[in-house]
Amino acid sequence: MPPDVELAEAAIVEHYPRLVRLAYLVLPPSLGRNRRVLTAHSMAQRALPRGRRGAGAQAAAAAVQGGVPGQRGTPGADSGYAYVRLRVLRAALEAGIPLTFRALPRRAQLPPLLPQVWGLRLFPRSGGAEELALDQWLATLDGPGRAACVLRALERLPEPEVLRVLTEAGVANPAAAVAESGDPANDALFASPEFDPCALQARPTDLLRRRRFARASLAAAAALAVCGALLALPGGGWGADGAAAPPYALNAAAQQALDPGKLVRVAPTAWRTSSRTGFSTWPARGDRTDDAELLRRALAVWARPGSAVVASATPGTPPGPPMGPPQLLFAGTVDQAVVVLLYDGLRVVRYAEPRTGTSVAALDFARTDAASAESATALVLSRVDGNVRYLTAPWVTGVGLRDLLKPGEAPAALKPGRDGVTPPVASPAPTGNCTGWNALALTGGGATRLVTDLGELTPARLTSGAPGAERDVAEAAELGDWSRIACLLPSVRSHGVRSVNAWTYAKQPLPGGDGTATWLCTRAETWAGTEDRVQAQFLAPGAPLAAQAAKAEGSPACGAREPRVLAGVLWKSKAGQWYVLAAGSAQFASLSVSGGGVNGSANGNRLAVKAPAGAQVELAGKLTDGTRAGVLR
């Protein structure tokens, strides 16, 4: 017996994101991501039972008459969740049945009446390579196979329960569906934002087609209305628009931006004589630079990405079309994809499509304005199986691979191809154990610069030194500092980072003769120039990795505008005594600490005060000019 409609509604409202994600994953991918999103929402909203009162209402009435209401438990049959889940699953499976003339179409096979979105295409946020591979694998399964995957991965049901639910949903061969559902090792990916139809991105529909349909349907009515209005006006008609072209005229600059013949191509030696060295002086490289059809597709997808395009943009990067003909940086075959790199003065855009077929594509935007020879040394061409290939700048004469966690080892030499494409190198893992952190040592222009992959199109440059005097990492001491803090780099991953600077701002003798600690400040500056991320780190003697003492986002501290920093930690000596340790940069004349049973001060920029374990204290400092300053936060 179906549950009471009010219990079913409560189950839908409480577990709406789960139900919509379940429907989205089970629906056939052939519908397209926009229609799958709307259909999934429609199926979750139509899961209410038709009756008004069911078993849930009778149980509630019995409880009112003389019982004690049961406590609310996990989603199940009593709460109505199992019932609405079954209705959603059954509708999603019916939507995958092909339409034929032999039978009337079922409700789930038709486009949803509600919800409706006009003028926009909605699709979930883009994921990484693993999510894309999972989505392509799901497309090879039939509806029951996808349903078995979802029940196991999202609903965490054991195999007997999966078989039972599939049987109730009308699957003819549940055992075959479970056998087709694949390896549970990838189950965690089903919770990715790639498959979340409640967190959506919006793009316009086909604007030209929409305009043609609108004109065709409204032409007669518009003509009658205009004629009537003009006849009714005593003076006759609207005012003139001056020198403006008609509203339906094509924009010449926009048309040129989509013409592959208008692409800007820089001479191979332009960087040698140019007054400014950056991406604007990169020549066009690759084995497909003369493929007009490929370049036309890349420009068209950039201007109007369709529903089959997986798009991403670093924070602060506008994803719109080019304002004029962009510059071609690269076009060629890389691993199993064909890649095109374009530059419009503000952004580098990466277009990628499979080596065979053009029905799907990837589009990545990265802001790169004001790039110089120091920050325009390389771009990411591809990521496959945890490996990354780079396209190096034309002035790069040597490439080495350095493990930041092994500062005493020399970089391993890499030999790029004729077009400056490096061999595949392991990218630093964003999660998991930090057993190594690869960086490229790029030699050119009389300097060697370290860059590392932070999950974006542009690798981040690594530097050392005080704010305003940053320099390339070269000395043994600087490499030693980076070996202690490299494993903290995932905290600034995928934030549009342009460079990360490490600054040793203080050395502090520890109480009890336990050695000397090092205080460092790292500042990750973004291409957008906002939301820079700052961390203060404490490195105890003998510790392999630094500990984060404080962090801030959007703070000017530890930068050229505010070249100072103050942070503190609670530290335990070898004798078992706890201390509040604090250190500031050279601008601090004195420090003080209070609260949590601790009260103390010290002249200079370092402080060590005994404290009880777990003490919560307030730390402050006074600068040499007499003004007070707080800790990094």
Side-chain angles (χ1 to χ4, degrees):
M1 180 180 296
D4 175 58
V5 69
E6 294 178 356
L7 290 178
E9 182 186 25
I12 293 175
V13 172
E14 182 177 3
H15 304 288
Y16 186 80
R18 293 174 57 185
L19 294 169
V20 178
R21 187 187 289 257
L22 183 148
Y24 179 83
L25 287 166
V26 177
L27 284 169
S30 59
L31 294 178
R33 294 198 293 173
N34 180 70
R35 183 173 170 186
R36 285 169 68 194
V37 166
L38 298 180
T39 304
H41 282 273
S42 175
M43 290 177 174
Q45 295 172 15
R46 295 203 316 264
L48 282 174
R50 291 189 176 87
R52 282 295 305 165
R53 298 181 65 84
Q58 297 173 4
V64 170
Q65 292 175 3
V68 178
Q71 294 183 350
R72 185 175 179 178
T74 58
D78 295 336
S79 65
Y81 175 74
Y83 175 79
V84 296
R85 179 183 66 191
L86 181 62
R87 286 178 62 89
V88 170
L89 182 63
R90 187 177 293 151
L93 291 171
E94 290 177 353
I97 301 175
L99 288 171
T100 64
F101 293 100
R102 300 179 180 180
L104 292 175
R106 304 185 185 184
R107 178 67 187 89
Q109 295 174 281
L110 301 176
L113 296 177
L114 290 174
Q116 288 289 342
V117 178
W118 293 83
L120 289 176
R121 289 188 177 276
L122 303 177
F123 49 92
R125 298 174 181 174
S126 302
E130 295 180 350
E131 287 84 356
L132 178 61
L134 178 60
D135 190 45
Q136 294 174 345
W137 176 76
L138 286 174
T140 64
L141 304 181
D142 57 11
R146 291 191 297 272
C149 287
V150 173
L151 291 175
R152 184 194 67 216
L154 288 183
E155 298 298 303
R156 305 294 184 184
L157 298 181
E159 183 173 336
E161 187 68 10
V162 172
L163 293 172
R164 184 190 65 78
V165 174
L166 291 176
T167 302
E168 292 184 0
V171 175
N173 193 347
V178 171
E180 188 186 15
S181 63
D183 186 3
N186 296 323
D187 285 355
L189 294 176
F190 285 84
S192 167
E194 171 85 8
F195 309 111
D196 184 6
C198 291
L200 301 172
Q201 299 184 76
R203 291 291 185 275
T205 56
D206 190 324
L207 301 180
L208 295 178
R209 180 182 298 176
R210 192 170 72 191
R211 180 183 293 178
R212 288 194 295 267
F213 281 129
R215 286 175 179 169
S217 61
L218 297 177
L224 291 175
V226 169
C227 292
L230 292 176
L231 291 175
L233 289 174
W238 295 289
D241 288 337
Y248 51 82
L250 296 176
N251 184 280
Q255 293 299 109
Q256 290 180 358
L258 299 178
D259 184 358
K262 300 291 186 180
L263 283 173
V264 177
R265 298 168 186 257
V266 175
T269 58
W271 63 272
R272 299 181 184 274
T273 57
S274 174
S275 59
R276 178 185 173 190
T277 307
F279 292 114
S280 60
T281 60
W282 280 33
R285 291 174 286 178
D287 58 357
R288 303 282 290 273
T289 54
D290 296 326
D291 190 336
E293 291 301 319
L294 168 65
L295 300 178
R296 189 185 305 278
R297 287 195 300 273
L299 292 169
V301 170
W302 183 357
R304 51 181 193 279
S307 59
V309 177
V310 180
S312 67
T314 58
T317 305
M323 294 176 288
Q327 177 184 343
L328 177 62
L329 303 182
F330 181 88
T333 303
V334 184
D335 297 324
Q336 300 303 315
V338 179
V339 178
V340 178
L341 290 180
L342 301 166
Y343 175 65
D344 68 350
L346 173 65
R347 304 160 295 178
V348 168
V349 178
R350 176 184 178 271
Y351 167 84
E353 65 182 26
R355 296 183 68 174
T356 57
T358 61
S359 59
V360 296
L363 194 64
D364 302 314
F365 296 86
R367 184 169 176 174
T368 56
D369 51 321
S372 61
E374 293 79 13
S375 53
T377 54
L379 290 171
V380 170
L381 273 183
S382 71
R383 288 190 178 89
V384 178
D385 297 332
N387 294 321
V388 59
R389 286 183 187 267
Y390 298 89
L391 176 67
T392 59
W395 54 85
V396 170
T397 57
V399 182
L401 182 64
R402 177 183 286 280
D403 187 348
L404 293 180
L405 300 190
K406 299 176 182 178
E409 296 184 2
L414 297 178
K415 186 178 181 180
R418 182 173 57 87
D419 291 325
V421 179
T422 68
V425 298
S427 178
T431 58
N433 295 329
C434 185
T435 57
W437 193 280
N438 284 336
L440 285 188
L442 303 176
T443 302
T448 298
R449 300 179 177 93
L450 278 182
V451 299
T452 190
D453 178 25
L454 292 182
E456 298 174 345
L457 190 55
T458 54
R461 180 190 176 199
L462 306 181
T463 60
S464 294
E470 298 89 347
R471 58 186 178 274
D472 291 306
V473 181
E475 298 179 0
E478 297 167 348
L479 291 171
D481 289 343
W482 268 107
S483 70
R484 313 286 183 85
I485 61 177
C487 290
L488 298 177
L489 284 174
S491 62
V492 298
R493 186 180 176 90
S494 301
H495 284 88
V497 174
R498 175 177 185 163
S499 63
V500 185
N501 183 61
W503 171 35
T504 300
Y505 69 88
K507 298 277 189 177
Q508 183 175 23
L510 296 176
D514 285 354
T516 301
T518 301
W519 292 86
L520 301 104
C521 181
T522 58
R523 181 178 180 85
E525 296 193 347
T526 61
W527 285 96
T530 59
E531 305 302 328
D532 296 346
R533 301 201 166 201
V534 186
Q535 293 183 17
Q537 291 125 357
F538 174 77
L539 179 58
L545 301 176
Q548 181 176 282
K551 64 178 180 179
E553 185 173 338
S555 170
C558 198
R561 291 186 177 273
E562 191 175 294
R564 64 173 186 266
V565 63
L566 171 63
V569 295
L570 195 62
W571 173 79
K572 185 179 182 181
S573 69
K574 293 180 181 179
Q577 175 62 53
W578 286 93
Y579 289 86
V580 172
L581 301 181
S585 51
Q587 296 87 347
F588 284 86
S590 63
L591 305 179
S592 63
V593 62
S594 60
V598 181
N599 190 15
S601 61
N603 292 326
N605 63 336
R606 296 169 297 187
L607 175 144
V609 179
K610 291 182 179 180
Q616 300 291 326
V617 300
E618 291 291 332
L619 181 63
K622 183 179 291 186
L623 302 177
T624 53
D625 61 2
T627 59
R628 295 184 63 84
V631 296
L632 177 67
R633 61 182 55 179

